[in-house]
């Protein structure tokens, strides 16, 4: 079983919908939680990071971490066709300097 | 300000050959990490370089080696290539104190082994 599990999708939503992307993990040592967006044939782009539990908001994006459940989420409000991409969650031990990634969820936002 | 750059973009090699991939970090960054991303999977950590030393290593064999130069640029070398080494190789740069959570990725080098 992988340390980080992510529903591969694909996920298809209409423009303007609220999107929920999720990951579960098994390593309780993870302290940093990141979300990346990866367009086809491109490198991952860091969207947000969160330290320990709690919520963090940045524009249309909200990241949530529930360490007690080992569950993290990314919400996208007012989704746009330009949000169509693969979304990767990633996690890191404190001071480890190496990230463990999920396999990504492919999202399509239809106009 | 240039972001992370990688070369070459694409590469085709034959089994048993050796390959060298190159990475220039984002301006001001001192730490470089390398990842392997197979098709349909998330990136897997290979190793990280800081102050020209390998600081962390993932679960990859010794055929994978690297180097960091005084200007912080880095190389990834893979010897005795296997078909299973075909993947997108990603370089990520960061500041050392933020390397756990603020990495910036390059566009990757797509390696095909035939």
């Amino acid at each position: 079983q992988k340390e980080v599990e992510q529903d591969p999708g694909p996920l298809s939503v209409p423009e303007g919908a609220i999107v929920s992307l999720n990951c579960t993990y098994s390593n309780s040592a993870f302290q940093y939680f990141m979300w990346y967006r990866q367009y086809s044939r491109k490198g991952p782009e860091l969207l947000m990071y969160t330290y320990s539990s709690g919520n963090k908001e940045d524009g249309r994006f909200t990241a949530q971490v529930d360490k007690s459940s080992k569950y993290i989420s990314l919400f996208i409000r007012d989704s746009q066709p330009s949000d169509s991409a693969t979304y990767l969650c990633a996690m890191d031990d404190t001071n480890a300097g190496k990230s463990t990634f999920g396999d990504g969820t492919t999202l399509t936002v239809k106009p | 300000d240039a972001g992370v750059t990688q070369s070459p973009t694409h590469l085709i090699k034959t089994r048993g050959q050796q390959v060298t991939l190159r990475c220039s970090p984002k301006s001001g960054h001192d730490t470089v990490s390398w990842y392997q991303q197979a098709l349909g999977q998330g990136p897997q950590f290979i190793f990280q370089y800081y102050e020209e030393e390998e600081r962390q290593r993932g679960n990859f064999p010794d055929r994978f080696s690297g180097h960091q130069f005084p200007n912080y640029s880095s190389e990834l070398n893979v010897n005795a290539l296997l078909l299973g080494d075909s993947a997108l190789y990603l370089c990520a740069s960061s500041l050392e104190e933020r390397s756990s959570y603020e990495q910036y990725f390059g566009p990757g080098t797509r390696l095909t082994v035939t």
Side-chain angles (χ1 to χ4, degrees), chain A residues 2 32 34 36 38 41-46 49 88 91-104, chain B residues 10 33 35 37 40-43 45 48 55-58 88 90 98-103 105-107 110:
Chain A
K2 292 187 174 185
Y32 292 99
M34 289 73 71
Y36 290 84
Q38 186 172 27
R41 299 187 173 277
K42 302 287 187 182
E45 172 193 8
L46 179 66
Y49 67 86
L88 297 157
M91 308 177 188
D92 209 323
D93 302 343
T94 304
N95 296 324
K98 60 180 182 179
S99 292
T100 301
F101 281 80
D103 285 337
Chain B
H10 296 91
S33 301
Y35 291 82
Q37 187 176 24
Q41 296 184 19
F45 177 81
Q48 182 183 84
R55 192 171 72 160
Q56 294 279 345
R57 189 176 183 93
L88 180 68
L90 295 162
R98 302 170 78 88
S99 63
S100 292
Y101 55 90
E102 197 168 338
Q103 296 186 92
F105 282 82
R110 186 162 299 279

Side-chain angles (χ1 to χ4, degrees), chain A residues 6 43 54 71 80 87 105 111:
Chain A
Q6 189 173 4
Y71 189 88
Q80 303 294 311
Y87 288 80
T105 299

